[in-house]
Amino acid sequence: MTANLPPQYDPQATEAKWQKYWEDNQTFKADPEKGGEPYCVVIPPPNVTGSLHMGHAFEETLIDVLVRYHRMTGRNTLWLPGTDHASIAVQTILEKQLKAEGKTRHDLGREKFLERAWEWKAESGNTITNQLRSLGVSVDWSRERFTMDEGLSAAVLEAFVRLYDEGLIYRGNYLVNWCPASQSAVSDLEVDQQEVEGHLWHFRYPLTDGSGYLEVATTRPETMLGDTGVAVNPQDDRYKHLIGKTVTLPIVNREIPIIADEFVDPTFGTGCVKVTPAHDPNDFEMGKRHNLPFINIMNKDGTLNENAGEFQGQDRFVARKNVVQRLESDGVLVKIEDYKHTVPYSERGKVPVEPLLSTQWFVKIDPLSQRALEALDQSNSPVFVPDRWTKVYRDWLVKLKDWCISRQLWWGHQIPAWYAVSETQGEITDTTPFIVAKTEAEAKEKATAKFGKEVQLARDPDVLDTWFSSGLWPFSTLGWPDETKDLEFYYPTTTLVTGFDIIFFWVARMTMMAGHFTGKMPFDTVYIHGLVLDENGQKMSKSKNNGIDPLLLIGKYGTDALRYTLVKEVVGAGQNIRMEYDRKTDESKSVEASRNFTNKLWNAARFVMMNLEGQTPEQLGSPSGVGGLELCDRWIVSRYYQVVQESRNCLENYGLGEAAKGLYEFIWGDFCDWYIELVKSRLQQDAEPNSKKVAQQTFAFVLEGILKLLHPFMPHITEEIWHTLTQTGDDRCLALQAYPEADISLIDPELEQQFELLFGTIRTIRNLRADADIKPSVKVTAILQSESEKERQIISDGSVYIQDLAKVENLTVTASLDAESPLGNGGQGGSIAGVVGTVQVLIPLAGVVDLAALRAKLEKKLSKVEAEIKHTAARLTNQKFVDKATPDVVQGARDALAEAEKQAEILRDRLKLF
C-alpha cells in the first residue's frame, strides 16, 4: 500500500499532534544513567506572570534549534524548563485585585495574602508554560521547576545561611534605590534611566557670619530640607577662604558647614553643591568622608516626614512646588532654568526612584566577583558569543557594588532571620539582635541559648530579591545542595542563551553564585542574541504598544513558519532582527514566505512519495555507488553532503541564521526546483528500470536527509513527513534520529560548478522563449556556441537535461558560427539570442512563432506604454499637481514613470530582433 501525504498541509493539526506526542511519550526526558557527552541548557525562566511575546518566541526557538541539533548528534541532552516567581509583578497584580475589592494586603494579613498568591499561581501561573508548548520546545517537562518550589526554596535557604555564616551577607543602614509605588528597595539593575525635561533651581545659602552667601543649584529642591553641608572643590580659588565656615540653611535655619571635596566639579554650575547625604548616592559618600549628619526627610510612600517641618505629610512632588514658593517668598530663589536631565525610574513601579536611607540586607560582592573575574581572565570562562560581550561582562564585574537583596514584599522567599524583639520592647529596630537559621525551631534553639528561655522572636518580614534565587538557577534546578545524579552529570550546563539586556541582572549573578558554591562557572558558553524589532526597526515595548503577538502569527501561519522566520533573519550571532508586519491586516510577509516554504516542502515530499511505489528509504537502500548514479544524481548527492557539512559547521559555531538560509536555498532551489524536474522523465511507467530505481533511491535518501537537517528549525512538519516517508510507527520519531554526517568523498565541487553552467543555459533558453512568446508546448531548436572545449563538453554531457527542461528538440553545440548563420550576422533574420557566461545561445524563430504577429503585438504594447509615459510625464511637469498632491502620490507617479520607461526600453530591444 502506497503511503502518502494529504494534498494540503494543515499546520495547526500537525503541530498540535506532535506536541502532544512528544510530551505524552516523554520523548525529551533526560537520563544521566545513559552516559555519553552531556548537553544541558536551563531555560531563562520567564516570569510566572508573563504571556508569550516575540522576545520569548525568538529566544526559545534559538535554544530549541541548538538543543534538537545536539540531541540528534548523539549527545545526552537536557533542556530544563521552569518559571520565576516574579515577586514585584505578582504582588502588584494581587494588590490591584485587592484594591478593586476595597482592601489592602494588610487587611488580609501575610498568611491569607500568600494563600491568595498561591491560588493565583495555580489558576493563572501556567499561562506562559502552556504557550511555550505551542512553540514545540523540546524540553524535559518532567523536570519543570519554579523558583519557589520546595527544592529551590531549600537551595535559597542553604545559600543565604552559608553566605551569612561566611560573613558575606550583612544587615546595614545604607542608601538604596527606593520605589515609593511598590514601597520596596530595588537594585541598580531594576532602575530605568529616563531623560526628562525638568528644571534647575538656583538659590542662595547665606553665610552664618553675614558676610555674603553661596549660590547652589538642584533638580530636587525639596531635598534641601535634609542638607547637612555645602561642598566646594579644594582647588577652587573662589571659595578657598570659605572652607570651614558655615551657612544657614534657608527655611530650616540649620547651621551647616562648607566642606572641601575633590568630587565637586568647579566648572559645573556655580562650583558649589548642596550635600544631602540621606538622599543622594554621591552625597552619601561625601557625608561618610566628612562625618556629616544623615537626615532622612522622606517616608517610604514618598511623602515627607517630621524632619521636613511644615511640609510634613506632603507628597514629594507637592512639597517640591511648596518649597520653591517658600524660597521665593523668602527672597533666596535666584532663578529657574529649563533643564534636560536623566531621572532614574523604577522599572516595576514606573515612578522615579528615591535614594533613601534604609536598613537592608546586603551581599558582599567583592569576593564573589573576584572569583568570576579569575575564571574569565585565567580560563576565558564562560566564553561569550559574540566575543564583544566579554568586555561588557568583565567591566560590569569590576564595577559592582554590594548587592541589596532585601525587598519589602510578601510574595517571595522570606528572609531566614529571626529578631529577638524581647530585647527591644517587642519591635524590630535597626539595633534588634537577630539569629539567621534555616528553620524557626533552629532559630529558637540558638536564641534561647543566647538570650534565655523567655526570648520572643519575630521573623524578618522582607523577602529576597528575585535575582537571588534565579542566580542559583543553573545548579539549584539540578538538585543542589544535594549531590544528585543530574547535578553530577549535567553540571556545569553547556550553553546559556539569553539577551544582552540581562547580562548584568542575571548572567553575572549566576557566575558569581556558581563560582562561590560549586567552584565552577555555571555554563561553558553564553550565546547573546539580539532583539526582535518591529516593522519600523523599533524596539518592542509595552509603553510604545508596538509588540507583535507571536500566538497570532502562529494561528495564521503555523509554528514552524514563525520559528523559521525568526532564525533565518539572524545575520551573524547577536544581531537584532526586524519582523515584517502589517498592523492593519495582522499579516507578515516574511512569515508568509516561510509558510510558503513549508507548503513547497510538503508538495515536494508528496511528489517524491507518489513516485516511490510504496517503498521506504530503508527498503530502497542507499543510492548506488558512483558507477550507478547518473550525472544529476551525483550532483544532488554532492550538493546534499555539501549542505550537511555547512549546516553542521554553522550550528557548531552559532551561525543559526546562516544554517537556516543555506537549507532554504538547497531545499527550494536545488532539490525542488531542479532535481525533481531533472528526474521526472526517469520516473515514468516506461522508464528504464535501473535508471528509475536509482532515481527513487536518490529521491528517498536525499528527502530523508533534508528532513533531518531541517528538523531542529521546523520540527513539526519534518516529523510528520518523516513518519509518512519511513512508514514508522509511534515507537520511533525523527527528533531522536541521528543528524546527517557528510561523506566527503561524494562532494564534487567541479561537478556542482558544471551544473551551474547547465542551469544558467536552461534559464537563458527559458527567458528567450518567454521574450519571444513561444508557447510552453512548442519545442525549439537551440544553438549553443562556446570557444571553450571544457564548456562544450559540460553542455554536451548535460544535453539531455537542457533538452528536457528547456523544451529543446534540436540542440547544436559548436565552437564557432560562420558569418552566414543568424547569430553570426548579429541575430537578424528571425532569431533571438542571449548569453550565459561565455556561452552564446541562439534560438531560430522561423516556423516557431508568427513573426509578423509577434512584431505587431510588441508594437501595440510599446504604443500603450509610450502613451502612459506621456500622460504621467505631463502630470509631473504640472506644477499644480506637484504642489497639491500628497508626497506619496507624487512619488507614486515618479515610480510609475520610471517603470514605464524601463518597459518601453525592453520592448524596443525586442523589436530590434525582427
Side-chain angles (χ1 to χ4, degrees):
M1 178 180 166
T2 302
N4 210 346
L5 300 166
Q8 299 293 325
Y9 174 53
D10 181 350
Q12 276 70 34
T14 301
E15 289 164 0
K17 166 186 170 183
W18 288 110
Q19 287 161 14
K20 186 176 187 304
Y21 170 91
W22 292 324
E23 191 163 349
D24 288 351
N25 288 276
Q26 294 192 312
T27 302
F28 308 121
K29 185 171 175 60
D31 183 0
E33 297 290 353
K34 288 184 177 178
E37 185 182 1
Y39 185 87
C40 179
V41 175
V42 289
I43 195 170
N47 283 350
V48 72
T49 57
S51 59
L52 193 73
H53 58 62
M54 199 58 77
H56 290 133
F58 183 44
E59 184 168 88
E60 311 319 333
T61 298
L62 293 174
I63 299 173
D64 199 46
V65 170
L66 291 170
V67 169
R68 285 180 182 270
Y69 165 72
H70 284 289
R71 185 183 291 114
M72 293 178 78
T73 63
R75 295 182 72 170
N76 187 328
T77 304
L78 166 62
W79 183 9
L80 193 148
T83 48
D84 186 273
H85 62 275
S87 289
I88 297 174
V90 170
Q91 184 135 341
T92 300
I93 288 171
L94 295 175
E95 290 190 335
K96 280 182 180 177
Q97 291 177 358
L98 289 171
K99 188 175 181 181
E101 299 168 17
K103 299 176 184 175
T104 70
R105 60 174 158 141
H106 299 286
D107 294 330
L108 266 68
R110 187 175 195 123
E111 188 177 340
K112 291 292 183 184
F113 179 84
L114 290 177
E115 282 178 17
R116 185 156 175 161
W118 281 107
E119 285 170 8
W120 178 90
K121 161 72 170 66
E123 292 170 9
S124 306
N126 296 324
T127 298
I128 185 72
T129 51
N130 289 331
Q131 289 171 339
L132 285 174
R133 284 172 163 87
S134 69
L135 281 174
V137 292
S138 60
V139 302
D140 181 352
W141 287 111
S142 72
R143 283 175 165 80
E144 183 179 356
R145 305 307 300 265
F146 174 55
T147 46
M148 280 177 60
D149 68 28
E150 189 177 339
L152 269 61
S153 294
V156 168
L157 274 176
E158 177 72 23
F160 186 96
V161 173
R162 253 198 236 183
L163 288 171
Y164 177 77
D165 288 346
E166 292 165 2
L168 295 177
I169 281 182
Y170 63 93
R171 186 171 181 252
N173 193 256
Y174 279 79
L175 201 68
V176 297
N177 297 306
W178 186 264
C179 171
S182 61
Q183 292 197 37
S184 174
V186 293
S187 76
D188 292 341
L189 305 177
E190 294 165 306
V191 171
D192 180 23
Q193 301 291 341
Q194 297 184 17
E195 193 172 64
V196 300
E197 298 285 349
H199 296 94
L200 190 63
W201 287 269
H202 292 250
F203 38 87
R204 299 186 183 110
Y205 283 3
L207 291 164
T208 308
D209 62 11
S211 62
Y213 60 84
L214 291 180
E215 184 179 320
V216 299
T218 181
T219 58
R220 298 158 66 216
E222 71 282 3
T223 62
M224 60 85 62
L225 301 169
D227 284 359
T228 57
V230 174
V232 297
N233 189 287
Q235 305 306 318
D236 194 332
D237 290 334
R238 294 172 295 175
Y239 305 116
K240 276 185 179 178
H241 66 290
L242 296 176
I243 297 169
K245 290 191 174 187
T246 63
V247 295
T248 301
L249 185 64
I251 302 177
V252 182
N253 293 322
R254 183 165 55 242
E255 190 174 346
I256 59 177
I258 300 169
I259 61 173
D261 197 290
E262 290 186 352
F263 170 78
V264 180
D265 180 0
T267 65
F268 181 77
T270 63
C272 298
V273 296
K274 57 189 284 300
V275 185
T276 320
H279 292 282
D280 182 275
N282 295 319
D283 294 5
F284 178 77
E285 297 300 330
M286 269 200 283
K288 286 197 295 183
R289 284 196 292 272
H290 298 277
N291 295 313
L292 298 178
F294 286 66
I295 300 175
N296 174 29
I297 62 160
M298 199 162 295
N299 296 312
K300 292 181 177 180
D301 62 357
T303 60
L304 271 57
N305 65 20
E306 66 279 4
N307 291 328
E310 66 190 78
F311 305 100
Q312 181 178 357
Q314 296 179 8
D315 177 79
R316 53 184 169 156
F317 298 117
V318 172
R320 177 173 297 178
K321 293 178 182 177
N322 293 334
V323 166
V324 171
Q325 285 179 1
R326 171 67 187 277
L327 292 169
E328 186 175 21
S329 65
D330 287 352
V332 296
L333 179 66
V334 179
K335 62 180 176 179
I336 303 172
E337 294 179 290
D338 290 335
Y339 187 64
K340 184 182 285 188
H341 63 122
T342 301
V343 173
Y345 273 71
S346 165
E347 283 193 338
R348 289 293 181 190
K350 309 301 181 189
V351 297
V353 298
E354 198 64 47
L356 194 70
L357 267 181
S358 178
T359 300
Q360 303 286 345
W361 291 88
F362 293 84
V363 172
K364 286 184 181 176
I365 282 294
D366 193 56
L368 306 182
S369 61
Q370 285 305 313
R371 186 185 283 268
L373 280 167
E374 285 172 16
L376 186 67
D377 294 342
Q378 295 174 13
S379 309
N380 191 29
S381 177
V383 173
F384 278 80
V385 178
D387 180 62
R388 65 178 180 273
W389 292 107
T390 306
K391 184 178 185 305
V392 176
Y393 165 71
R394 190 185 192 286
D395 288 348
W396 188 259
L397 286 175
V398 170
K399 294 173 186 174
L400 278 175
K401 297 177 181 177
D402 285 0
W403 172 17
C404 175
I405 55 170
S406 45
R407 299 291 180 266
Q408 287 63 54
L409 304 166
W410 285 354
W411 173 248
H413 293 105
Q414 192 171 356
I415 288 173
W418 282 263
Y419 295 89
V421 291
S422 49
E423 300 295 306
T424 50
Q425 291 74 51
E427 297 289 330
I428 298 176
T429 70
D430 289 356
T431 58
T432 306
F434 58 84
I435 300 293
V436 168
K438 291 181 184 177
T439 65
E440 186 171 5
E442 183 185 340
K444 182 73 172 176
E445 185 180 340
K446 288 182 177 179
T448 300
K450 192 171 183 179
F451 302 106
K453 290 182 180 181
E454 302 304 315
V455 67
Q456 293 177 351
L457 296 181
R459 188 168 181 177
D460 194 308
D462 291 353
V463 299
L464 286 165
D465 176 14
T466 303
W467 297 105
F468 189 92
S469 51
S470 56
L472 308 173
W473 186 253
F475 49 99
S476 64
T477 52
L478 296 173
W480 184 90
D482 295 335
E483 291 294 331
T484 64
K485 288 182 179 178
D486 276 0
L487 187 66
E488 180 186 357
F489 185 76
Y490 292 112
Y491 185 82
T493 66
T494 316
T495 307
L496 174 72
V497 179
T498 190
F500 62 83
D501 49 341
I502 60 170
I503 290 176
F504 324 119
F505 280 105
W506 192 42
V507 179
R509 301 278 192 246
M510 289 188 285
T511 57
M512 290 189 293
M513 292 290 220
H516 185 77
F517 289 116
T518 73
K520 302 172 185 176
M521 288 297 97
F523 21 73
D524 299 330
T525 304
V526 181
Y527 171 49
I528 300 291
H529 61 71
L531 302 173
V532 184
L533 306 177
D534 72 3
E535 67 277 16
N536 299 311
Q538 299 294 311
K539 180 180 177 180
M540 295 187 204
S541 69
K542 288 181 181 178
S543 60
K544 291 180 183 176
N545 195 30
N546 65 335
I548 300 172
D549 184 358
L551 296 171
L552 189 152
L553 294 177
I554 286 172
K556 193 178 287 280
Y557 302 109
T559 296
D560 283 346
L562 177 64
R563 285 173 57 118
Y564 200 70
T565 302
L566 291 170
V567 180
K568 191 162 72 73
E569 292 294 318
V570 179
V571 182
Q575 297 301 305
N576 294 339
I577 67 170
R578 189 173 72 87
M579 174 65 70
E580 288 187 81
Y581 190 61
D582 185 331
R583 293 187 183 273
K584 293 178 182 176
T585 61
D586 289 326
E587 293 174 340
S588 169
K589 287 185 178 179
S590 53
V591 185
E592 183 181 354
S594 295
R595 193 272 314 277
N596 295 342
F597 180 45
T598 64
N599 291 338
K600 183 85 169 178
L601 175 65
W602 184 267
N603 292 332
R606 191 165 182 271
F607 175 82
V608 170
M609 282 183 258
M610 285 170 63
N611 287 281
L612 295 184
E613 299 173 328
Q615 300 171 93
T616 66
E618 189 176 12
Q619 291 165 343
L620 285 163
S622 297
S624 305
V626 174
L629 295 176
E630 296 187 17
L631 198 65
C632 69
D633 303 328
R634 285 168 46 209
W635 166 76
I636 195 66
V637 169
S638 176
R639 285 292 305 124
Y640 166 69
Y641 280 129
Q642 186 82 262
V643 169
V644 169
Q645 194 174 41
E646 290 167 358
S647 296
R648 276 182 167 267
N649 184 55
C650 286
L651 290 170
E652 291 289 345
N653 293 286
Y654 298 95
L656 278 66
E658 292 82 351
K661 281 187 279 288
L663 286 172
Y664 182 93
E665 290 162 6
F666 171 69
I667 295 166
W668 190 299
D670 295 339
F671 187 70
C672 296
D673 285 354
W674 286 115
Y675 185 67
I676 287 178
E677 296 302 316
L678 289 169
V679 298
K680 272 183 178 176
S681 59
R682 293 163 58 193
L683 299 169
Q684 304 299 321
Q685 287 280 348
D686 56 353
E688 197 279 317
N690 285 337
S691 177
K692 182 176 184 179
K693 176 70 179 292
V694 172
Q696 289 175 326
Q697 287 177 325
T698 309
F699 246 160
F701 171 76
V702 175
L703 176 59
E704 186 177 12
I706 281 171
L707 298 174
K708 291 175 180 176
L709 290 172
L710 192 59
H711 179 75
F713 303 90
M714 288 184 160
H716 307 91
I717 189 172
T718 52
E719 189 79 75
E720 179 73 14
I721 295 173
W722 183 82
H723 271 262
T724 309
L725 174 68
T726 59
Q727 298 174 40
T728 300
D730 283 352
D731 57 322
R732 293 167 63 221
C733 65
L734 175 59
L736 300 181
Q737 300 308 300
Y739 200 80
E741 294 189 45
D743 185 338
I744 307 298
S745 68
L746 294 179
I747 296 177
D748 189 341
E750 188 175 345
L751 178 64
E752 292 180 28
Q753 198 172 9
Q754 291 171 11
F755 266 81
E756 284 303 307
L757 178 60
L758 292 175
F759 295 151
T761 304
I762 292 167
R763 274 191 293 265
T764 301
I765 295 172
R766 285 174 169 175
N767 290 339
L768 292 174
R769 289 176 62 106
D771 288 347
D773 273 359
I774 300 170
K775 294 178 181 177
S777 59
V778 174
K779 291 198 170 184
V780 299
T781 294
I783 302 165
L784 306 178
Q785 181 268 328
S786 173
E787 295 179 3
S788 164
E789 184 179 347
K790 184 178 180 181
E791 284 186 339
R792 294 197 303 275
Q793 186 62 51
I794 292 168
I795 293 167
S796 297
D797 290 345
S799 60
V800 63
Y801 305 131
I802 297 172
Q803 289 183 269
D804 193 14
L805 270 59
K807 301 290 180 67
V808 175
E809 188 168 26
N810 301 305
L811 181 66
T812 301
V813 183
T814 180
S816 62
L817 294 165
D818 58 48
E820 299 302 314
S821 74
L823 191 62
N825 62 30
Q828 301 301 310
S831 296
I832 191 167
V835 177
V836 52
T838 59
V839 177
Q840 298 192 68
V841 182
L842 172 71
I843 299 177
L845 297 177
V848 178
V849 295
D850 183 335
L851 297 178
L854 178 58
R855 182 175 184 84
K857 185 177 179 180
L858 292 173
E859 286 173 339
K860 185 177 179 181
K861 279 186 180 179
L862 179 60
S863 177
K864 185 178 178 181
V865 172
E866 285 175 337
E868 185 182 335
I869 290 169
K870 186 177 179 181
H871 172 71
T872 309
R875 289 180 78 200
L876 288 168
T877 54
N878 183 341
Q879 197 59 42
K880 287 183 180 178
F881 166 74
V882 174
D883 291 342
K884 289 185 177 180
T886 64
D888 287 348
V889 171
V890 175
Q891 187 58 48
R894 287 181 180 138
D895 293 344
L897 179 61
E899 180 63 27
E901 287 173 339
K902 186 177 179 182
Q903 288 180 18
E905 186 181 349
I906 292 169
L907 289 167
R908 290 188 193 104
D909 287 342
R910 288 188 187 177
L911 281 165
K912 288 176 185 177
L913 298 172
F914 309 109

